Amino acid sequence: MANRTDPAAKSIRGTNPQNLVEKILRSKIYQNTYWKEQCFGLTAETLVDKAMELDHLGGTFGGNRKPTPFMCLVMKMLQIQPEKDIVVEFIKNEDYKYVRVLGAFYLRLTGTDIDVYRYLEPLYNDYRKLRRKSPDGQFSLTHVDEVIDELLTKDYSCDIAMPRIKKRWTLESIGSLDPRKSALEDDFEEEEEKEEEEEHNAELENGTHEKDYYRERSPTRERDRDRKRDSHRYRDRDYERDRDYDRERGRGRDRDRERDRDRDRDRERDRHRLRDEKDHGREREKIREWEGRERDRRDRDRGRRRSHSRSRSRSRDRKDRDGEHRKRHARSSASPKRHENGTENEPRKKKEKKEKKDDGTDHPDPEIAEANRIRASLGLKPLRP
C-alpha cells in the first residue's frame, strides 16, 4: 500500500509515473531504509523539509547498489505527483541548491519539451558547487550548471534513463520557442557602451574639435568598430554552425537508431526462426521416439506370439510324449497277464509248430514247400521227403 501511486495522479507519457524508474532500481528503493522510515506518509508540503535536508545527489552506490536519499525523494515525487506550481517553486528556490536540482530532475522526467527548456535553461547561470556520490561510494565535486547540462543533453542521469525530448532548434523552427539569448550578451553590450563613452570623454578632454573629428573617423577606431561588429557576426555564425551541427548530429542519431531497430528486428526474426526450427526438431524427435516405441511394441508382440507358438508346440510334444509314456506303462502293466497266458499257450504253439512241421510247408526246398502248401489247402497229406 505504501508503494502505490496516488489514485489522483495522471499518467506520464502513457504509463504510471513510477514506471519511469527501472524496475530493478524501483525495487531497491522500496527496500531501502530511508524510503521506509523517512518517506512514509510524505505529502507535497512535508516533502520540502526532507528536500532541504539533502547534502548530496546521486543514483545508486556500493556493491549492492543502494539508492541515495535524493533518488528516494525523486521516487516519492513520482508517487504523489505534486502540482506544477510546486515544482516550479522548487526550481526557482535560490536558497537551497539541492531543492532546485530535485525540482529540475523531476521536471525533466515528467515535463513537456517546452517546459523543460523554459525552466531548466535559466539554471545554466547557477555555478554553485554540489556534492555527487559516485557508484563506488566516493564523493565528487560538480556544479549546478553541469547537472542541468547533463539533464538536457545526456540519455542517462543518476542511473535513470531520461525520456527523449525534441531538439531546441526543432522547437525554434516550428515557433514553439524563441531563440536562446545568453545572459552575457547584455553585459557585453553594456561594457561596449561604457568603453565608447570613456573614449569619447577622453578625446573631448585631451584634444580639439578637429582632432576629435578626425579621431572619430580614424582608421584605428573604424577598425576597432569593425572588429567588434565582426565579433558579434562571428558569434551569431558560430551559433548557426552549432545549430546545424546539432541538427546533423540528430539526423545521424536517428539513422543509427533506425539501423539499430533494423538489426534488432533481424535478430528477433532469426531468434524466432531458430525457435521454430528447434520446435520442428523436437516434433521430429518425438515422432521418431513414438515410432521407435511402436516398433519395439510390435517386436515384443511378435516375440510373444512366437513364444506362445513355441510353448504350444512344446505342450503338444509333451502331450504326445505323455501319451506314449502312458501307452508304454499300460503295456508294461499288462505284460504279466500276457506271461501267464503265454505259459498256457506254449503247448498250443508247439502243437501248431509240430502241425506246421507235419504239413511240410517248412521244407527247405521251396518247390516242395509250395507243393505241400497247396496239398494242405486241398486237405491232402504232404509229400514225403
Side-chain angles (χ1 to χ4, degrees):
M1 296 294 291
N3 302 331
R4 183 179 297 177
T5 308
D6 188 3
K10 298 179 182 179
S11 62
I12 303 298
R13 303 181 189 277
T15 183
N16 191 330
Q18 294 192 77
N19 292 340
L20 295 175
V21 181
E22 285 82 354
K23 181 175 178 57
I24 298 176
L25 179 56
R26 192 164 65 242
S27 62
K28 290 182 180 297
I29 292 175
Y30 292 156
Q31 297 171 3
N32 192 21
T33 306
Y34 184 86
W35 171 266
K36 295 178 181 178
E37 294 180 356
Q38 306 297 328
C39 297
F40 180 77
L42 287 180
T43 61
E45 291 79 10
T46 57
L47 182 67
V48 182
D49 300 332
K50 296 296 180 183
M52 292 168 61
E53 296 175 359
L54 289 175
D55 58 353
H56 66 278
L57 61 94
T60 57
F61 66 93
N64 53 358
R65 315 303 294 171
K66 293 181 181 179
T68 58
F70 177 83
M71 191 54 55
C72 293
L73 292 180
V74 171
M75 191 68 182
K76 194 64 182 180
M77 293 181 70
L78 292 173
Q79 184 179 5
I80 64 178
Q81 200 178 55
E83 295 180 359
K84 182 180 176 182
D85 297 337
I86 298 176
V87 179
V88 173
E89 289 300 325
F90 275 29
I91 296 174
K92 291 182 179 180
N93 190 344
E94 297 181 357
D95 297 332
Y96 297 95
K97 51 189 176 182
Y98 291 104
V99 175
R100 168 174 281 189
V101 173
L102 180 65
F105 197 93
Y106 176 77
L107 184 66
R108 176 64 180 85
L109 287 174
T110 61
T112 61
D113 301 344
I114 299 174
D115 291 339
V116 168
Y117 285 109
R118 182 177 298 168
Y119 293 107
L120 265 63
E121 281 184 345
L123 302 184
Y124 274 126
N125 301 324
D126 193 347
Y127 307 113
R128 286 180 291 182
K129 297 178 181 179
L130 296 173
R131 296 174 66 204
R132 185 165 191 164
K133 203 163 193 177
S134 57
D136 58 356
Q138 302 294 328
F139 288 98
S140 60
L141 180 64
T142 185
H143 300 82
V144 177
D145 59 330
E146 294 178 359
V147 176
I148 298 301
D149 183 69
E150 179 181 342
L151 293 177
L152 292 176
T153 58
K154 303 295 183 182
D155 295 333
Y156 271 84
S157 180
C158 296
D159 297 330
I160 293 182
M162 296 287 106
R164 294 187 177 275
I165 57 175
K166 296 179 183 178
K167 299 295 182 181
R168 181 178 176 82
W169 57 266
T170 305
L171 298 176
E172 290 179 3
S173 62
I174 62 178
S176 299
L177 277 179
D178 296 332
R180 182 185 171 190
K181 185 178 180 181
S182 176
L184 300 177
E185 290 184 2
D186 297 336
D187 297 338
F188 283 136
E189 290 178 359
E190 290 178 359
E191 288 182 1
E192 288 176 359
E193 291 177 358
K194 288 180 181 179
E195 288 178 359
E196 289 180 358
E197 289 179 359
E198 290 175 358
E199 289 178 0
H200 185 66
N201 294 331
E203 289 172 358
L204 289 176
E205 291 177 357
N206 297 329
T208 61
H209 180 70
E210 290 183 358
K211 292 181 180 180
D212 292 339
Y213 177 78
Y214 288 112
R215 190 176 297 166
E216 286 180 0
R217 286 162 177 75
S218 64
T220 56
R221 287 180 58 84
E222 293 295 334
R223 195 179 304 113
D224 293 337
R225 289 179 182 175
D226 293 339
R227 189 179 295 114
K228 292 178 181 178
R229 195 179 300 110
D230 292 338
S231 65
H232 288 289
R233 192 179 298 113
Y234 290 151
R235 188 167 59 236
D236 296 338
R237 191 181 303 162
D238 293 338
Y239 177 73
E240 294 291 334
R241 186 172 62 252
D242 293 339
R243 188 170 63 181
D244 295 337
Y245 175 73
D246 292 337
R247 188 183 294 112
E248 293 296 330
R249 188 178 178 185
R251 291 175 183 171
R253 287 181 179 176
D254 293 337
R255 286 194 296 270
D256 295 338
R257 200 176 299 117
E258 291 293 333
R259 195 179 303 111
D260 293 338
R261 287 200 193 108
D262 295 337
R263 191 181 302 112
D264 295 338
R265 199 178 298 113
D266 294 338
R267 288 176 181 172
E268 287 292 332
R269 194 182 301 112
D270 295 339
R271 195 178 296 115
H272 285 299
R273 189 175 64 253
L274 291 175
R275 191 180 303 146
D276 294 338
E277 290 178 357
K278 289 181 180 178
D279 295 338
H280 184 63
R282 293 195 193 99
E283 292 293 333
R284 282 191 292 183
E285 289 178 359
K286 289 181 180 178
I287 292 172
R288 289 172 183 167
E289 290 178 359
W290 180 78
E291 290 177 352
R293 288 195 296 269
E294 289 293 325
R295 194 180 301 110
D296 295 339
R297 186 177 59 80
R298 287 196 298 268
D299 294 339
R300 286 195 299 270
D301 294 341
R302 195 178 298 113
R304 289 196 194 99
R305 287 196 295 270
R306 289 177 180 173
S307 61
H308 184 63
S309 61
R310 290 196 195 98
S311 63
R312 287 176 61 186
S313 61
R314 289 196 195 99
S315 62
R316 194 181 299 111
D317 296 339
R318 196 178 298 112
K319 287 179 181 179
D320 294 340
R321 286 195 298 271
D322 293 341
E324 291 177 358
H325 181 68
R326 289 194 193 95
K327 288 178 182 179
R328 289 198 201 96
H329 185 67
R331 288 172 188 166
S332 61
S333 60
S335 59
K337 294 181 181 179
R338 217 180 277 148
H339 183 68
E340 293 174 359
N341 295 330
T343 54
E344 295 176 357
N345 295 330
E346 278 181 1
R348 191 179 303 163
K349 287 181 179 180
K350 289 179 180 180
K351 290 179 180 179
E352 290 178 357
K353 286 181 180 181
K354 287 181 180 179
E355 290 177 355
K356 285 181 180 180
K357 289 180 180 180
D358 293 341
D359 290 342
T361 54
D362 56 350
H363 198 277
D365 191 357
E367 293 180 358
I368 295 172
E370 185 67 25
N372 290 332
R373 196 177 296 112
I374 295 169
R375 290 177 70 84
S377 61
L378 296 175
L380 300 175
K381 291 181 179 182
L383 295 174
R384 298 281 181 183

